[in-house]
Amino acid sequence: MRFPNEAAGGVELSLTLKPRVAVRAKISSVGIYVPPKLLTNADLERMVATNDQWITERTGIRERHIVDKGVATSDIAAEAARICLANRGVAANEVEAIIVGTVTPDMIFPSTACLVQDKIGAKGAWGFDLSAACSGFPYALQVGAKLVESGAHKKVLVIGADVMSSIVDYTDRTTCILFGDGAGCVLVEPCEEGEVGLVDFWHEIDGSGAASLRMPGGGSLNPPSHETVDNKMHFIQQDGQAVYKFAVRKMAEASEMLLNRNGITGAELGCFIPHQANKRIILSTAERLGMPEDRVIINIDRYGNTTVGTIPLAMHTAMADGRLKKGDLVLLASVGAGFTVGSTLLRWEI
């Protein structure tokens, strides 16, 4: 099957697709929300032994958004969902399913999806949460797409939202500089005639890396107790070097695997939208793919790592900057705790 590639100057691009589904799924709308409160590098200099230059050079982050006390993941997720639906002109009661990717649910149960469903008034929808850390958005996007491609649903909300400030130890300078709060939402609908939408994906996990990035307290293994609180087990724990090495290698490998399988090169992509964990990881992947830097979306300087929220936030940045246009061939890529790895190839149809 062949599709025109505007980013390559109108060159015909051949994609080797999996067997064609009866219905193809596309992203039809995007909405984001970040809390107004900012936590800058200068603020962190007054909290821990760090400085703006050190943070910026190693991560690319200058500031991040942080919720006020009492604001939960479901609150920012619901805001992003409302904006997404309004941008498409779709009423909440038309939504049939809600998938929330998050590692900071409001509580163990009920699911954040249940709380979002109630807050936005999506009375006819069902839904659930999906936990894949920083790969949560591409994972949730594929689940939503499959619900549409199967013919089961025509309108699925896929949300990536995290209040990372709720699990960050602000006395740990190795982690507190990295994370921010934010939410992004996309509406997944069937393609119209002539549209392509989601093309292919490559996902994998490597559970042997679980100890390298985790929050060990609060689950069935280490339920809340004085001991877990005293030992700071309800905060993020990270082996930074192990995570960095894995992310540099696997984000590029997963991206190459997906592009090679579809017979295309990075230079032919209209846009690369990676998970925003570290600017050096992003640029390393882009260089390996042979992508021009002007087609790589980076907004980590403004938001930090919002975990599941980073990719939809970056989609919005790309749209706002005029760097993401209808017909563009787009690659999403992520690596997260677990370890989880995800890449997605799609045609932008908005």
Side-chain angles (χ1 to χ4, degrees):
M1 185 175 295
R2 300 178 68 83
F3 306 112
N5 180 16
E6 291 79 3
V11 175
E12 287 293 309
L13 178 65
S14 179
L15 298 180
T16 304
L17 302 180
K18 294 178 178 180
R20 186 175 180 84
V21 293
V23 177
R24 299 197 66 86
K26 67 174 181 179
I27 292 173
S28 62
S29 184
V30 179
I32 68 163
Y33 177 80
V34 291
K37 180 180 177 181
L38 287 177
L39 180 67
T40 67
N41 290 351
D43 295 326
L44 287 168
E45 288 179 356
R46 295 188 287 270
M47 298 166 62
V48 292
T50 191
N51 61 72
D52 174 70
Q53 182 179 356
W54 191 93
I55 297 170
T56 303
E57 288 180 353
R58 285 161 178 78
T59 69
I61 302 169
R62 297 187 181 278
E63 62 186 24
R64 63 289 290 143
H65 293 253
I66 302 295
V67 301
D68 289 324
K69 185 177 181 180
V71 176
T73 295
S74 67
D75 294 316
I76 63 174
E79 287 296 330
R82 292 186 188 102
I83 294 168
C84 178
L85 292 173
N87 287 343
R88 178 66 172 157
V90 170
N93 61 11
E94 297 179 61
V95 174
E96 296 160 283
I98 301 170
I99 306 168
V100 178
T102 187
V103 293
T104 57
D106 289 27
M107 56 198 77
I108 298 295
F109 64 88
S111 71
T112 305
C114 287
L115 304 177
V116 171
Q117 182 263 356
D118 181 57
K119 287 179 179 181
I120 68 173
K123 298 300 184 183
W126 69 289
F128 55 91
D129 291 357
L130 186 153
S131 179
C134 298
S135 300
F137 182 79
Y139 282 27
L141 179 61
Q142 285 304 322
V143 176
K146 298 312 174 190
L147 289 175
V148 169
E149 290 172 0
S150 71
H153 297 312
K154 292 184 177 180
K155 289 181 173 59
V156 178
L157 281 181
V158 174
I159 303 171
D162 272 306
V163 175
M164 296 304 293
S165 60
S166 67
I167 58 171
V168 167
D169 177 3
Y170 284 99
T171 68
D172 177 9
R173 67 176 182 174
T174 65
T175 57
C176 71
I177 65 171
L178 301 174
F179 297 99
D181 303 335
C185 175
V186 300
L187 181 63
V188 180
E189 295 186 87
C191 286
E192 298 178 8
E193 186 175 353
E195 294 181 329
V196 176
L198 275 77
V199 175
D200 198 3
F201 71 98
W202 175 270
H203 293 167
E204 61 179 290
I205 62 173
D206 181 357
S208 68
S212 296
L213 183 52
R214 63 180 182 172
M215 188 188 78
S220 60
L221 177 62
N222 298 301
S225 67
H226 285 295
E227 180 182 4
T228 63
V229 172
D230 291 344
N231 291 330
K232 297 187 175 183
M233 296 172 68
H234 300 274
F235 293 128
I236 299 166
Q237 295 181 359
Q238 175 174 267
D239 179 344
Q241 284 299 312
V243 173
Y244 182 84
K245 289 178 181 178
F246 184 87
V248 166
R249 176 170 60 89
K250 293 304 295 187
M251 184 179 284
E253 285 183 2
S255 298
E256 286 182 323
M257 176 74 72
L258 188 57
L259 295 182
N260 290 340
R261 187 162 72 183
N262 287 276
I264 64 174
T265 67
E268 294 171 308
L269 294 171
C271 198
F272 176 42
I273 304 179
H275 167 57
Q276 308 286 309
N278 183 295
K279 186 176 181 179
R280 292 186 296 173
I281 295 173
I282 294 170
L283 293 178
S284 174
T285 302
E287 181 179 5
R288 184 161 161 180
L289 296 177
M291 283 210 66
E293 193 170 331
D294 62 351
R295 297 185 197 168
V296 181
I297 307 304
I298 301 175
N299 64 5
I300 192 172
D301 57 318
R302 286 176 272 169
Y303 299 118
N305 183 352
T306 56
T307 308
V308 192
T310 67
I311 289 179
L313 284 171
M315 285 179 177
H316 180 269
T317 294
M319 295 172 68
D321 291 348
R323 297 164 66 192
L324 184 56
K325 303 175 290 296
K326 183 175 176 63
D328 280 351
L329 191 63
V330 180
L331 176 68
L332 316 178
S334 62
V335 172
F339 288 124
T340 61
V341 183
S343 56
T344 303
L345 184 65
L346 59 91
R347 277 287 187 191
W348 195 251
E349 302 293 0
I350 300 177

